Amino acid sequence: MELTGAQIVVQALIQEGVIDIFGYPGGAVLDLYDALDQQDAIRHVLVRHEQGAVHAADGYARASGRTGVALVTSGPGVTNAVTGIATAYMDSIPLVVLSGQVPTRVIGSDAFQEVDAVGITRPCVKHNFLVKDVAELAVTIKKAFHIAGSGRPGPVLVDIPKDVSQAKRRFVYPKEIELRSYRPVTRGHPGQIRRALQLMLTARRPVLYTGGGVILDRAAAELTELARLLGFPVTNTLMGLGGFPGTDPLFLGMLGMHGTYEANMAMHEADVVVAIGARFDDRVVGNVSKFCPRAKIIHMDIDPASISKTVKVDVPIVGSVKLVLSDMLTLLHQSGRRPDGEALAAWWAAIEGWRSADCLRYDRHSAVIKPQQVIEQLYQLSNGEAIVTSDVGQHQMWAAQFYKFDRPNRWINSGGLGTMGFGLPAAIGAKLACPDDQVICVTGEASIIMCIQELSTALQYQVPITVVNLNNRYMGMVRQWQEFFYAKRYAMSYMAALPDFVKLAESFGHVGFQVKEPEQLRATLEQALAMRDRLVFVDVLTDPTENVYPMIPTGAGHNEMILV
Amino acid sequence: MRHIISVLLENESGALSRVAGLFSARGYNIELLTVGPTQDPSLSRMTIVTSGSDEIVEQILKQLNKLIEVVKVLLLTEKEHVERELLLVKVMAQGAMRDEIIRLTEIFRGHIVDVTETCYTVEVTGDGEKIKAFLRTLPTADIQEVVRTGVAAIARGETTWRLP
Ligand SMILES: Cc1ncc(C[n+]2csc(CCOP(=O)(O)OP(=O)(O)O)c2C)c(N)n1
């Protein structure tokens, strides 16, 4: 039987095991919407802005580990989606974005709602396709899922002209796909793995520095086993949190610009640094010439282009970090070799010295609510088990510092692009992916406004999440930089004319609370988190002058932190 | 350092702009670029002349390999190779210069491919140095138009470099 292109798309999605997609209709995708309407294997979640669709699909992917799917129309639908696509690209999140396009015969004529989707998204996708012939449609979708989810994952856009979604063709879906030009390496080179292990076993001051690759490759168990077997300290990047248990004594906290004193000092003093699924981002490295001055560096990564991109590496290992780590574990179990216990004990003594600086301390008896305190209480009240999404700014850093993630796929934030507006739609996506988990969105009063319309989506699909707005009346992170580096000239960082967030939440059909006094904080959070069948928006008025510490200023080394 | 990178890529629309976009987005130089078909109709060959430190060239090779449509990437300047460019130049040719230009063209083993009463069009192939040298011999004021291709380059010897 022949199907229309639109029906082929739906059947292909079903073959890929897709059960939820996020989207927004328009002229170029009407056939796709019609086809979606005629089936019930796939639920379509109607967002309120295409940026929200992509962020929601992204949050869904990060929480579940499955490829997220978004559907948008041509022209403005695609341009609205670009921020979401770039966000996913920077954090290597597997997404398939389906976009409508004007009919093939008018492509290039500046037709109504025409935009060169493939051209606009090219620099921020792993790959993209314009499907010009219905005969290519099924196989292109197969390729899109294959590319998005394998190797170093990323978003793939498939642009489908309206006449292609209307044309008819017999539906045949390939089971497997082979691309001669795309064969990501998976197993690490055994010789390199041995060299790395040799270096690790003779290290006197080792650190495991691990990133989002551990989470994407589902390698948390292997990493945890390796670190515990060797007794090595572990630090995570912002993207890597949850890849190693945050409550484990071996854990030093996050590293980098707002990392802990102990993590950054350990990096600075280390003699062997093992980078695992981390990409030496500038927010981690700071000044390259001052980075890890005494260390030999081992780097495991699925993406060869990440290796020696910014920091020269001594032992590169290209491969799936999960497979490389398990190969290392096998070798360790076979040989029974272990590192020098005495050297490690001395190393840990130094680390405990740095730890005792208590770099995350803050005034616990303040008369105004301290943002750190809010996150700590959220951590306690949710037993450390919630999925936490965040927006971008100070609140993001405090969430990363004070919520201890023991498991992967629990901490969801825009690390690479730093997209304000990400938190709420990502939380909706995460909750729909993991309905039994508690989902908390930690946001700021500036960020939340950027995708506030998604409160409406949350009502329509009854998505009971808790939004916690750390409301300091400032674009806090901007204010902090102005305080430190622009002589306290607070240009445009004050948030005047803020809405009444309680009424705003209520007008969207949700529950809103506001807290001003430290004494009310715990009870209100408790009440909000207990309401598991409603979206609750908690507006917390926090100290507007609080800053994120420690901080490595631009150009400084890891040992040159500004401490509180 | 100057480098020649040879790339085999899927013969698909858009592949060229992906490569060009990669170079501009990451701030790499493209000095010359040639694209053409190969003996396998599904593949194109792109020859890129670029310059940069060893680290940058290493990144360029890795980033090119990362493009989904790129099948193979080779740094030709690492190997013994032959490289050629083609020059077409329109030059004023009057009076004594009519013979002089023929003589110069012969020295450079070029051809005169078009003639009018006042000018010649000359074709010369060779590496970049030879082309430059030829252009230097012509009186600057008489050069009307210069058209040059990028580089076509191939490794010397019997090793071929194609897909199985
Ligand atoms: C879309 C976007 N625009 C601008 C920025 C720059 N920026 C980074 S943090 C920040 C302030 C965020 O303020 P808020 O959401 O209130 O969080 P806070 O820092 O106060 O916790 C801004 C404007 C950004 N990251 N994203």
Side-chain angles (χ1 to χ4, degrees):
Chain A
M1 198 186 75
E2 292 206 320
L3 300 184
T4 65
Q7 290 165 333
I8 288 174
V9 172
V10 171
Q11 287 308 314
L13 294 177
I14 292 171
Q15 296 285 316
E16 290 293 338
V18 173
I19 46 182
D20 291 298
I21 73 175
F22 300 85
Y24 205 92
V29 285
L30 284 175
D31 293 276
L32 281 159
Y33 273 88
D34 198 45
L36 280 169
D37 199 49
Q38 313 286 315
Q39 55 83 47
D40 42 33
I42 297 173
R43 164 171 66 172
H44 176 278
V45 175
L46 176 70
V47 294
R48 298 303 187 263
H49 185 294
E50 289 86 351
Q51 181 183 349
V54 184
H55 287 333
D58 181 326
Y60 185 95
R62 294 188 205 222
S64 66
R66 299 196 297 270
T67 297
V69 183
L71 169 59
V72 300
T73 193
S74 68
V78 171
T79 54
N80 274 350
V82 168
T83 300
I85 296 171
T87 302
Y89 180 68
M90 289 294 277
D91 290 343
S92 305
I93 305 303
L95 291 187
V96 170
V97 179
L98 305 168
S99 55
Q101 181 56 280
V102 300
T104 47
R105 64 179 184 286
V106 296
I107 286 180
S109 70
D110 302 318
F112 178 63
Q113 295 195 325
E114 178 182 2
V115 76
D116 175 6
V118 162
I120 280 188
T121 58
R122 187 181 301 119
C124 60
V125 291
K126 183 169 174 187
H127 197 57
N128 57 20
F129 298 94
L130 167 63
V131 185
K132 286 189 183 150
D133 182 347
V134 68
E136 294 293 313
L137 191 52
V139 68
T140 304
I141 291 180
K142 180 79 201 174
K143 284 183 192 169
F145 276 89
H146 173 60
I147 293 169
S150 58
R152 179 178 181 172
V156 176
L157 176 116
V158 183
D159 199 31
I160 308 170
K162 189 163 181 172
D163 54 330
V164 172
S165 61
Q166 289 171 335
K168 289 199 164 167
R169 183 82 185 181
R170 223 167 68 82
F171 176 65
V172 189
Y173 203 65
K175 279 222 156 47
E176 294 293 326
I177 192 112
E178 260 278 309
L179 295 173
R180 63 178 172 182
S181 60
Y182 174 71
R183 294 199 183 107
V185 177
T186 49
R187 273 243 112 84
H189 188 282
Q192 290 295 84
I193 294 176
R194 267 199 209 92
R195 271 181 68 203
L197 210 49
Q198 181 60 27
L199 204 54
M200 287 157 70
L201 287 167
T202 53
R204 305 184 67 80
R205 299 183 310 278
V207 180
L208 305 181
Y209 141 54
T210 85
V214 170
I215 290 163
L216 291 164
D217 209 20
R218 303 179 179 86
E222 289 79 1
L223 169 64
T224 308
E225 187 183 342
L226 184 81
R228 287 181 180 160
L229 196 63
L230 298 172
F232 283 5
V234 182
T235 178
N236 288 162
T237 68
L238 178 65
M239 295 310 297
L241 294 172
F244 185 78
T247 53
D248 193 293
L250 297 175
F251 188 57
L252 307 185
M254 181 169 74
L255 83 166
M257 182 174 274
H258 292 300
T260 64
Y261 185 63
E262 51 271 34
N264 287 336
M265 287 305 290
M267 290 293 281
H268 191 76
E269 296 296 332
D271 68 346
V272 173
V273 166
V274 190
I276 308 173
R279 63 183 177 90
F280 298 85
D281 172 79
D282 53 280
R283 287 300 200 251
V284 161
V285 170
N287 187 332
V288 177
S289 65
K290 297 181 180 173
F291 179 70
C292 295
R294 297 176 241 294
K296 287 248 183 288
I297 298 177
I298 298 164
H299 187 187
M300 316 171 189
D301 206 292
I302 190 84
D303 178 7
S306 280
I307 289 172
S308 293
K309 183 170 72 175
T310 49
V311 170
K312 196 101 194 93
V313 165
D314 300 285
V315 186
I317 307 173
V318 176
S320 138
V321 293
K322 186 183 182 75
L323 296 180
V324 173
L325 289 171
S326 52
D327 285 351
M328 277 193 170
L329 283 166
T330 310
L331 287 173
L332 276 172
H333 289 311
Q334 277 167 2
S335 73
R337 287 187 63 194
R338 296 296 176 266
D340 178 347
E342 252 173 63
L344 267 185
W347 179 224
W348 273 107
I351 291 172
E352 293 307 337
W354 296 318
R355 220 179 226 169
S356 65
D358 192 13
C359 67
L360 297 180
R361 70 183 175 280
Y362 64 90
D363 178 5
R364 285 166 198 276
H365 308 288
S366 158
V368 281
I369 298 175
K370 287 288 183 180
Q372 299 94 325
Q373 173 184 16
V374 183
I375 309 290
E376 271 188 346
Q377 302 218 354
L378 283 172
Y379 173 69
Q380 290 158 7
L381 292 169
S382 60
N383 302 316
E385 305 215 305
I387 294 177
V388 179
T389 74
S390 91
D391 271 299
V392 175
Q394 291 181 316
H395 62 274
Q396 175 189 27
M397 293 300 120
W398 286 315
Q401 291 175 333
F402 287 88
Y403 201 104
K404 295 181 183 14
F405 296 93
D406 277 339
R407 284 189 287 155
N409 307 93
R410 305 261 117 188
W411 165 238
I412 295 178
N413 82 129
S414 165
L417 198 68
T419 310
M420 290 168 69
F422 176 78
L424 174 61
I428 293 172
K431 181 71 186 176
L432 290 171
C434 307
D436 299 331
D437 288 308
Q438 181 148 44
V439 177
I440 302 172
C441 167
V442 174
T443 184
E445 78 295 332
S447 291
I448 191 68
I449 296 285
M450 288 217 181
C451 272
I452 195 74
Q453 74 287 344
E454 300 309 328
L455 283 177
S456 187
T457 309
L459 182 71
Q460 181 173 348
Y461 296 92
Q462 302 195 0
V463 189
I465 56 180
T466 312
V467 180
V468 178
N469 185 29
L470 300 187
N471 184 347
N472 53 7
R473 278 81 71 211
Y474 275 99
M475 297 173 195
M477 190 56 93
V478 175
R479 193 203 58 75
Q480 175 169 347
W481 280 64
Q482 290 169 332
E483 177 184 333
F484 289 8
F485 311 117
Y486 294 87
K488 303 192 177 179
R489 291 187 301 274
Y490 298 124
M492 291 293 146
S493 55
Y494 181 67
M495 291 297 287
L498 281 173
D500 176 333
F501 283 104
V502 172
K503 282 193 190 145
L504 181 138
E506 286 170 358
S507 77
F508 273 102
H510 303 301
V511 178
F513 296 137
Q514 190 183 57
V515 206
K516 291 184 185 144
E517 309 299 334
E519 303 75 56
Q520 306 164 339
L521 178 64
R522 196 171 183 95
T524 314
L525 291 179
E526 216 163 357
Q527 195 187 351
L529 290 171
M531 296 178 77
R532 297 294 286 264
D533 57 344
R534 299 288 299 268
L535 185 151
V536 185
F537 191 112
V538 191
D539 185 32
V540 188
L541 298 188
T542 57
D543 183 353
T545 64
E546 188 57 282
N547 290 321
V548 183
Y549 294 105
M551 177 171 189
I552 304 177
T554 316
H558 278 176
N559 58 335
E560 299 168 317
M561 276 161 281
I562 305 175
L563 293 172
V564 56
Chain B
M1 253 266 283
R2 174 177 181 274
H3 281 287
I4 302 179
I5 301 171
S6 187
V7 185
L8 274 181
L9 71 171
E10 298 289 350
N11 182 15
E12 275 166 23
S13 69
L16 169 64
S17 55
R18 264 180 236 284
V19 174
L22 168 69
F23 274 73
S24 64
R26 294 191 181 266
Y28 307 142
N29 290 318
I30 299 189
E31 286 172 10
L32 298 167
L33 173 70
T34 334
V35 201
T38 63
Q39 73 273 31
D40 175 344
S42 68
L43 289 174
S44 309
R45 175 167 327 250
M46 190 179 272
T47 311
I48 303 168
V49 177
T50 182
S51 60
S53 63
D54 288 353
E55 291 78 46
I56 290 182
V57 172
E58 188 185 324
Q59 261 301 307
I60 294 177
L61 298 177
K62 286 175 171 175
Q63 293 290 348
L64 281 168
N65 263 313
K66 215 171 137 174
L67 295 177
I68 305 289
E69 284 149 340
V70 166
V71 184
K72 261 180 177 242
V73 180
L74 183 77
L75 188 59
L76 267 181
T77 26
E78 267 182 349
K79 319 206 175 299
E80 287 222 26
H81 66 277
V82 184
E83 59 174 280
R84 290 289 180 270
E85 281 177 52
L86 169 73
L87 164 78
L88 294 172
V89 57
K90 214 168 261 187
V91 58
M92 299 290 287
Q94 281 167 315
M97 284 311 286
R98 282 186 90 79
D99 282 351
E100 177 63 8
I101 291 169
I102 293 173
R103 210 174 57 82
L104 288 170
T105 302
E106 273 167 9
I107 293 172
F108 281 85
R109 283 183 235 163
H111 306 280
I112 298 194
V113 292
D114 191 43
V115 176
T116 73
E117 279 174 15
T118 56
C119 80
Y120 291 158
T121 301
V122 185
E123 170 197 313
V124 175
T125 60
D127 61 19
E129 288 306 311
K130 178 178 165 190
I131 305 262
K132 260 193 247 162
F134 177 68
L135 284 171
R136 270 200 302 270
T137 62
L138 301 176
T140 318
D142 290 348
I143 297 177
Q144 301 296 302
E145 191 174 2
V146 171
V147 177
R148 291 171 69 168
T149 63
V151 166
I154 197 164
R156 283 189 187 274
E158 279 157 21
T159 45
T160 54
W161 188 62
R162 54 183 186 191
L163 289 188

